[in-house]
Amino acid sequence: MNRIYNYLIFIVAGAMLLTTSCSDELNTDPRGTVSQSQIADLAASDPEALALVIEPMIAGMYGHLVTYNSMALASVSHDDHGIKSILHIADMMGEDVVQTSSSYGWYYSDYLLELRDKDYRHPYFVWQYLYRNIKLANDILAQIPEDVEDSHLRAFRGQALVTRAYSYHYLVQIYQKTYVGHENDPGVPIVTEIASDEGYPRAPMSAVYELMVKDLTDAVGLLEGYNRPSKGFIDQSVAYGFLARVYLSMENWEGAASAASTARSGYTVMTGEQYLDGFKYISNPEWMFGSIVTADLDIVQSGIVNHNSFFSSFSYGYASITGMHKAIDRRLYDYMSETDIRKQAFQAPDGSTFPEGGYNGVNLPAYVNGKFGPSDDGADNTQDLVYMRASEMLLIEAEARAALNQTSQASSLLQELMANRDPNYTVPSSGLLEEIRKQRRIELWGELGIALFDIKRLKLGINRNYEGSNHPDDAKLVVPAEDWLFTYMLPTREIDNNPDISSGDNNP
């Protein structure tokens, strides 16, 4: 199978087989015309032949993570460049990431919490992108029997199940409030490879979470023994990682702690020096899952339609050229001690962290990040993209242990992380749970969208209007916990085209 995996790596790197066209409604029909019995016969008699059929579908699924212009618009939206676009939106809707300028506008309206309306572009973009991801996974699942025995086909099925599960997890976090306390509230339509006789209404949150847990639990078994060719592929550790995230949302503390601990087994926490190395290498010892970005990808060929264009102060792009810098909230910056190496990832108020400026010497204002560095291969914005890493898993386990009043274990876990961040750090004697959550915000700043996901999960509001705030005046919002401003409406196109959802079923 080495030839197959080499082929996959090539295709994923170039995203050459991904179809980016999209319809105005959920596409629920799995691809292919052969019967399930024929598929089962082929899986048993010639699994290598079936694998050849599925290879380009797997490539397309991974390629979608870095797809360019998923809405297939004639005029490309520069905030449509893959899964990082959605995580970027989520980070802007919290209080941890500051956008220093509204120049050119990209993501600034998200920052102002102004884009949740059903007729706006972002609710449709996120909806169609994630359901397209689910469609790609379902197409694969429809071709592989549940009881398949071939190890390669089992791995393909496992990766598709994980993809479907994490797509649903992002959907329910964006289009509904948190799970706890809203278990019976309407979530999102459940679309699997098996057509539903009952149509596709908004399923209760409990049903969506039940599907996610089942998919991820099944995937863990299917991925047993699978050795992936690179971290650009989902393996068992990644499946456990997504399961830990889902359990964390459910406040299933035992499940979250166990899954997170298993997920990070075999990974090491990066050193402080590695933390300051630019967040651009998938070879980083604690990166668990990401995309390998090469110069031939459309998001790189575009020059500026990619994550690092918007987040890196040292690369050619929107942040450095137009002044749309991404800075850390001043409170988080001040919370870090002077010996915390992560503080060196952000410009000091006196400009001493990056005295020579950013890209082409551009001045970097106070608190602007240097966390995401320039590419090293002579090409613009070919930095690899991270979607999961071991420190997140450590912090999930620590939070879960603290919530279970397993104080000693939680403290040891936090100390394990901070020993690589601040040599003078001491775990506080009180407020451990809050401390873990604060360190999570600092550690994962600008990576995974937790600025929004955590305030929803923890039922917190935001306050950007504090004394000394470094948020722009028009962004100094104060929004209470569980306000609908944090939750998108379902897009009008879905309401219009899905007979099982009416305007009365939408979010307020």
Side-chain angles (χ1 to χ4, degrees), residues 205-215 250:
M205 288 283 276
S206 58
V208 183
Y209 271 83
E210 182 181 355
L211 175 66
M212 288 188 285
V213 170
K214 182 181 187 308
D215 278 355
M250 300 174 73

Side-chain angles (χ1 to χ4, degrees), residues 66-70 76-82 84-85 106-107 293 297-310 316-318 380-381 385:
V66 290
T67 193
Y68 171 83
N69 191 21
S70 68
V76 178
S77 293
H78 288 194
D79 48 3
D80 179 0
H81 50 82
K84 278 289 188 180
S85 306
W106 299 113
Y107 295 103
V293 177
L297 279 176
D298 287 339
I299 60 169
V300 176
Q301 291 290 309
S302 72
I304 55 174
V305 186
N306 51 68
H307 177 262
N308 283 285
S309 167
F310 289 101
Y316 174 81
Y318 277 108
D380 288 323
N381 299 323
L385 301 173

Side-chain angles (χ1 to χ4, degrees), residues 401-418:
R401 300 291 181 199
L404 291 166
N405 292 317
Q406 297 173 359
T407 304
S408 177
Q409 291 171 283
S411 297
S412 295
L413 287 162
L414 182 58
Q415 187 63 51
E416 179 184 345
L417 171 69
M418 295 305 293

Side-chain angles (χ1 to χ4, degrees), residues 39-90:
I39 291 171
D41 289 344
L42 183 59
S45 64
D46 196 348
E48 184 80 8
L50 182 56
L52 288 171
V53 173
I54 296 171
E55 285 171 16
M57 300 164 70
I58 289 284
M61 184 179 74
Y62 284 115
H64 195 232
L65 291 170
V66 290
T67 193
Y68 171 83
N69 191 21
S70 68
M71 292 187 288
L73 300 178
S75 178
V76 178
S77 293
H78 288 194
D79 48 3
D80 179 0
H81 50 82
I83 194 68
K84 278 289 188 180
S85 306
I86 295 172
L87 304 183
H88 188 162
I89 289 169

Side-chain angles (χ1 to χ4, degrees), residues 19 77 146 264 312 330 388 396 413 442 491:
T19 301
S77 293
E146 289 188 23
R264 73 184 186 95
S312 176
R330 179 179 178 176
M388 182 182 291
I396 288 176
L413 287 162
I442 294 170

Side-chain angles (χ1 to χ4, degrees), residues 92 107-114 464 474-477:
M92 297 314 303
Y107 295 103
Y108 202 78
S109 292
D110 301 289
Y111 186 37
L112 299 181
L113 301 181
E114 293 179 343
R464 301 178 187 157
D474 60 346
K476 291 180 178 177
L477 307 179

Side-chain angles (χ1 to χ4, degrees), residues 32 64 223 325 338 507:
H64 195 232
L223 292 166
H325 299 293
E338 294 305 314
N507 297 328

